[in-house]
Structures are given as structure tokens and as C-alpha cells.
Amino acid sequence: MTRVLIVEDDPQLVRALTINLRARKYEAEAASDGTAALQLAAATPPDAVLLDLGLPDMDGLDVIRDLRLRSGVPIVVVSARSTSDEKIAALDAGADDYVTKPFSMDELLARLRAAVRRTETAAPAADDMRIVTTQGFTVDLVAKRVTRDGRDVRLTPTEWQLLELLIRNPGRLVSQKQLLQEVWGSSYGTQANYLRVYMAQLRRKLEADPTHPRHLITEPGMGYRFVA
Ligand code: CA
């Protein structure tokens, strides 16, 4: 059973999350502040963490940093903080995903599932994953070949690197900073405009309707996500 640690000081939300998680066969445990959360996580390491940022005793960002010192447990932030800077700060501190309150329970659970699946399969997936198929296009990660409607799509090396990084993290929010640093290098962490240009090119080549992308999704102010 997957054990989820809910870190949240709103009792009603804790109740709603607990009921929904248990109904889907998760084990749910709750902590109402950061100190209790870190103690619980140290005593019995959870398989995933749902984390509020506005906690009574400490900032959720410090909870993320502390958890990251000792584990790679997937952390999905569930917060009312909605500015880009706040979201980026959480991702940079080590959060895996970010859901803004108010949220849809289905969406939150989908994000949680994706985060857990990634950690479970992270090691083998990188090697095993060869062909990724979507409704619109197919990517062969070994042959470095993309086809759409049976025809080869030519990508530039930069477009390919971006696409590959997203595809190797299916469903996961990949931060702007991570994409920029891995594709362009460590000094490019803030050049979000580069990303916008290249993502627009990729969508023109791969999406049926580039203005309403279905596979290469923008998470405003945060990054991008590949959905198969
Ligand atoms: Ca709160």
C-alpha cells in the first residue's frame, strides 16, 4: 500500500484528502504542522507527501528542504500561493509538482499517482523506455526519431533535447530552470524566453492544434509537462 503523508493545518481539507485517499486504497497519515510532519517522516518514511506551504510553525519550503536532505520521496505541494515566484521557489527547493488551491480532487490524485509512479519506475524506465506513442506522434528514444502520421519529423538538436527530457519524465512538471540548465547549460537558468520559442516550434511540428496543445503542456510560470 502507498503511504501518503498529508501536511496540512486545515482540518476540513485533511478530512477530505484522507477520505479520498483511503477510498483509493492509499494509506493516509496527517500532520498539522511542519515539526510533526518531519518527525513522522523520520519515524516511518512515507511513499509520497502532500504539502501545504502555509503552516503554523514553519514555512513549507523549509519542510521540502529538510525532507530532501534525507529522501527522494515525491512531494506534491498543495498551496494557495499562486504566483510564479512562489511556485518556482517550491520546485527549486525540491518539490515534484504543484497544485494550487482550490483544486479538483481528481487532478490532485492524478498528479499524486504520476509522482508515485515516477519514483517507483524511475531507474528501469530510463533504459526500458524506447518507443513513446501519443495520439499525434511517436518518438523512438533510441533511434532519436520522431514520426507523425507515418512521416518523419525533423527536429533540431535543441528541440530534440527538450522533447526527450520531457518525454523521459512523463506526466511530471519539469521546471523551466531544469529544462534550461539541462539543455542550454547552468548559466541559462532564467532565460524562459528561449523555452517559449523552442516549445512553440515543437508544438508546430508535433501538435495537431499548436495553440491548444494536448501533449506538450505549459504550466504557467513554472515549466512544462509531457502528457501522452
Ligand atoms: Ca495552511
Side-chain angles (χ1 to χ4, degrees), residues 4-189:
V4 181
L5 174 58
I6 304 163
V7 189
E8 171 62 66
D9 59 332
D10 173 351
Q12 274 186 306
L13 186 49
V14 169
R15 199 174 318 125
L17 286 168
T18 305
I19 290 169
N20 276 281
L21 286 170
R22 290 192 179 145
R24 286 163 180 83
K25 310 292 179 214
Y26 288 94
E27 218 174 288
E29 215 175 5
S32 60
D33 61 38
T35 311
L38 292 173
Q39 279 169 359
L40 267 176
T44 10
D47 300 311
V49 177
L50 294 178
L51 176 71
D52 180 24
L53 292 181
L55 297 168
D57 61 334
M58 60 198 282
D59 193 281
L61 292 179
D62 292 324
V63 177
I64 299 174
R65 291 187 192 104
D66 204 299
L67 286 170
R68 275 290 163 265
L69 289 179
R70 43 198 153 105
S71 88
V73 62
I75 302 172
V76 177
V77 170
V78 185
S79 176
R81 298 182 193 172
S82 57
T83 72
S84 299
D85 286 350
E86 290 165 329
K87 293 175 179 174
I88 289 169
L91 296 174
D92 286 347
D96 294 276
D97 210 336
Y98 200 107
V99 176
T100 310
K101 291 175 185 172
F103 57 87
S104 110
M105 191 61 77
D106 284 344
E107 188 190 350
L108 175 63
L109 292 168
R111 300 277 183 92
L112 175 66
R113 269 198 308 278
V116 170
R117 202 181 313 124
R118 260 186 328 265
T119 18
E120 281 171 350
T121 59
D127 299 326
D128 290 357
M129 193 160 67
R130 165 156 193 189
I131 310 277
V132 176
T133 306
T134 72
Q135 283 183 327
F137 56 91
T138 300
V139 180
D140 183 330
L141 289 166
V142 175
K144 295 188 186 291
R145 185 165 176 232
V146 185
T147 48
R148 183 176 165 195
D149 303 324
R151 282 199 297 270
D152 279 336
V153 179
R154 296 193 58 122
L155 298 183
T156 68
T158 301
E159 289 167 355
W160 171 262
Q161 283 182 58
L162 268 179
L163 181 67
E164 182 176 15
L165 188 52
L166 289 169
I167 282 182
R168 286 195 184 276
N169 292 280
R172 175 171 168 231
L173 168 60
V174 184
S175 73
Q176 291 178 354
K177 188 175 171 187
Q178 186 186 347
L179 287 164
L180 285 164
Q181 291 187 341
E182 293 200 21
V183 175
W184 279 274
S186 55
S187 53
Y188 289 83

